[in-house]
């Protein structure tokens, strides 16, 4: 992605030390999902480092968790779809076994079966000691009834065990996502507080320039923004009762977009370039607070490109 700026912590021993305080490797029972560590002392963790770099590490971890969550969700959905088919096949084979035991020699049984979608047909079949099972991937094998019963029972038990394991893994993963989101918010807020203290002490090279833009593109209300030497802070109002899970913020090198339940709240091409990797966002009350890391330490005349 254009505008990507690598963190000075990447690939270093200090970076590895920081990561060891953000997560730990879990046991094999949790499919290798790293366990997020709640940051008790944000100030101590950020000592000697820019909070934005720590937030970047946390956001990388959060992205990995979200990828794992989508993968586990897909596996669970697939398994929930297959399990009823396995159970139905097992009931059918058990019925064939029962009919074989009760039927007289050469006595045929009439069956109704699905030929195609919305099309059913009837067939007459004598008792048999074998059955063909569809294994998928254009593969069908013939088994004796006893072998088929044993195979389907094993498959059903394995599917239920795997489904239970997936449910446990997803519950564990949700806890790690929540912990990481809390860590991101606390670290981001610490960085904001540090910058405010620095301004009060006169440690910033350039004074902050604050402005309320009247050229906001969304129709849901004005946003506010201010800038410092190295970053831009944007505050966007959201509808009453909005949750963080309902909000999507897309930060690119030259633009931002804020959405709530699919409705665009703020969108536009920025007046300058930013580093997406060093930029963060969080929810404070009913507002989305975005911190954009400037690619170059220059003053912006406005938040958005006036040529748009």
């Amino acid at each position: 992605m254009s505008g990507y700026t690598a963190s000075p912590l990447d690939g270093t021993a200090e970076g590895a030390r920081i990561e060891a305080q953000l997560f730990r490797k879990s046991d094999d029972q949790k499919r290798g999902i790293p366990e997020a560590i709640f940051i008790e002392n944000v100030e101590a963790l950020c000592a000697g480092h820019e909070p934005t770099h720590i937030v970047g590490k946390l956001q990388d971890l959060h992205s990995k968790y979200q990828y794992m969550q989508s993968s586990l969700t897909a596996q669970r959905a697939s398994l929930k779809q297959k399990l009823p088919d396995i159970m139905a096949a097992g009931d059918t084979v058990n019925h064939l076994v029962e009919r074989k035991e009760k039927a007289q020699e050469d006595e045929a049984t009439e069956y109704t079966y699905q030929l195609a979608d919305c099309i059913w047909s009837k067939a007459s079949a004598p008792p048999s000691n074998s059955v063909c099972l569809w294994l998928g991937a254009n593969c069908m094998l013939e088994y004796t009834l006893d072998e088929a019963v044993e195979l389907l029972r094993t498959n059903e038990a394995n599917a239920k065990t795997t489904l239970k394991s997936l449910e446990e893994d997803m519950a564990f993963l949700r806890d790690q996502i929540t912990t990481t989101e809390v860590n991101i918010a606390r670290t981001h807020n610490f960085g904001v507080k540090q910058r405010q203290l620095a301004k009060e002490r006169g440690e910033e090279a350039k004074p902050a320039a604050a402005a309320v833009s009247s050229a906001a593109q969304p129709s849901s209300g004005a946003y506010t923004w201010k800038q410092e030497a190295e970053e831009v802070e944007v505050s966007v109002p959201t509808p009453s009762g909005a949750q963080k899970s309902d909000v999507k913020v897309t930060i690119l090198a030259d633009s931002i977009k804020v959405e709530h339940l699919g409705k665009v709240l703020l969108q536009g091409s920025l007046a300058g370039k930013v580093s997406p990797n060093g930029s963060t966002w969080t929810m404070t009350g009913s507002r989305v607070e975005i911190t954009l890391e400037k690619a170059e330490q220059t003053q912006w005349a406005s938040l958005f490109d006036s040529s748009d």
Side-chain angles (χ1 to χ4, degrees):
M1 178 183 293
S2 59
Y4 172 82
T5 303
S7 168
L9 298 177
D10 291 346
T12 65
E14 181 63 15
R17 187 188 71 81
I18 294 295
E19 289 180 353
Q21 299 180 66
L22 302 181
F23 64 89
R24 66 173 66 92
K25 293 183 178 179
S26 60
D27 55 55
D28 294 337
Q29 297 299 321
K30 293 295 182 294
R31 293 175 174 262
I33 301 174
E35 181 180 357
I37 302 174
F38 178 73
I39 302 175
E40 296 284 353
N41 192 333
V42 177
E43 183 177 358
L45 179 65
C46 295
H49 304 289
E50 284 291 333
T52 53
H53 295 154
I54 305 298
V55 171
K57 288 285 187 183
L58 288 167
Q59 288 183 324
D60 287 343
L61 179 62
H62 188 264
S63 296
K64 293 175 182 177
Y65 282 144
Q66 288 183 315
Y67 176 80
M68 293 178 188
Q69 186 178 49
S70 62
S71 177
L72 291 178
T73 300
Q75 292 180 48
R76 182 181 63 176
S78 175
L79 202 55
K80 282 189 172 182
Q81 185 178 8
K82 293 177 180 178
L83 185 56
D85 293 338
I86 296 174
M87 297 173 67
D91 291 340
T92 301
V93 173
N94 286 330
H95 173 74
L96 292 176
V97 172
E98 182 181 353
R99 293 299 303 171
K100 179 178 179 294
E101 293 174 349
K102 294 181 178 180
Q104 299 179 1
E105 186 176 356
D106 298 330
E107 179 184 358
T109 303
E110 188 174 87
Y111 296 97
T112 301
Y113 65 96
Q114 188 174 11
L115 187 62
D117 289 341
C118 302
I119 300 178
W120 294 77
S121 182
K122 291 185 177 181
S124 181
S128 174
N129 191 45
S130 62
V131 65
C132 293
L133 296 182
W134 181 261
L135 303 182
N138 296 324
C139 180
M140 178 178 286
L141 292 180
E142 183 178 3
Y143 295 88
T144 65
L145 293 179
D146 292 340
E147 290 174 340
V149 168
E150 182 63 27
L151 175 64
L152 291 171
R153 282 177 180 172
T154 301
N155 288 352
E156 181 181 347
N158 291 341
K160 289 181 177 179
T161 300
T162 303
L163 184 59
K164 181 181 178 181
S165 176
L166 285 172
E167 297 285 359
E168 293 173 351
D169 291 344
M170 292 185 69
F172 177 80
L173 187 56
R174 283 192 296 270
D175 290 341
Q176 310 321 304
I177 290 176
T178 300
T179 300
T180 303
E181 289 176 345
V182 171
N183 286 341
I184 290 174
R186 295 181 72 231
T187 306
H188 170 81
N189 292 337
F190 173 77
V192 172
K193 188 179 297 183
Q194 289 297 102
R195 289 190 292 272
Q196 290 174 342
L197 290 174
K199 285 190 296 183
E200 293 173 1
R201 297 169 183 168
E203 295 177 2
E204 291 291 336
K206 296 182 180 179
V212 177
S213 174
S214 62
Q217 297 184 19
S219 58
S220 57
Y223 62 89
T224 61
W225 76 285
K226 62 181 180 179
Q227 64 176 315
E228 299 175 1
E230 298 179 350
E231 63 189 26
V232 175
E233 296 181 10
V234 186
S235 180
V236 184
T238 61
S240 177
Q243 302 294 320
K244 186 175 182 181
S245 58
D246 301 331
V247 176
K248 179 181 179 182
V249 178
T250 304
I251 303 174
L252 302 179
D254 55 2
S255 66
I256 60 171
K257 183 177 182 181
V258 181
E259 300 172 87
H260 175 257
L261 295 176
K263 180 181 179 181
V264 177
L265 302 180
L266 183 70
Q267 182 178 15
S269 298
L270 297 170
K273 298 288 185 180
V274 301
S275 170
N277 188 60
S279 302
T280 62
W281 73 275
T282 188
M283 283 280 291
T284 302
S286 61
R287 302 186 72 88
V288 177
E289 306 292 345
I290 307 170
T291 300
L292 303 173
E293 183 181 279
K294 292 182 178 179
E296 298 178 357
Q297 295 185 21
T298 58
Q299 289 294 106
W300 293 8
S302 61
L303 176 61
F304 292 112
D305 188 349
S306 59
S307 63
D308 283 358

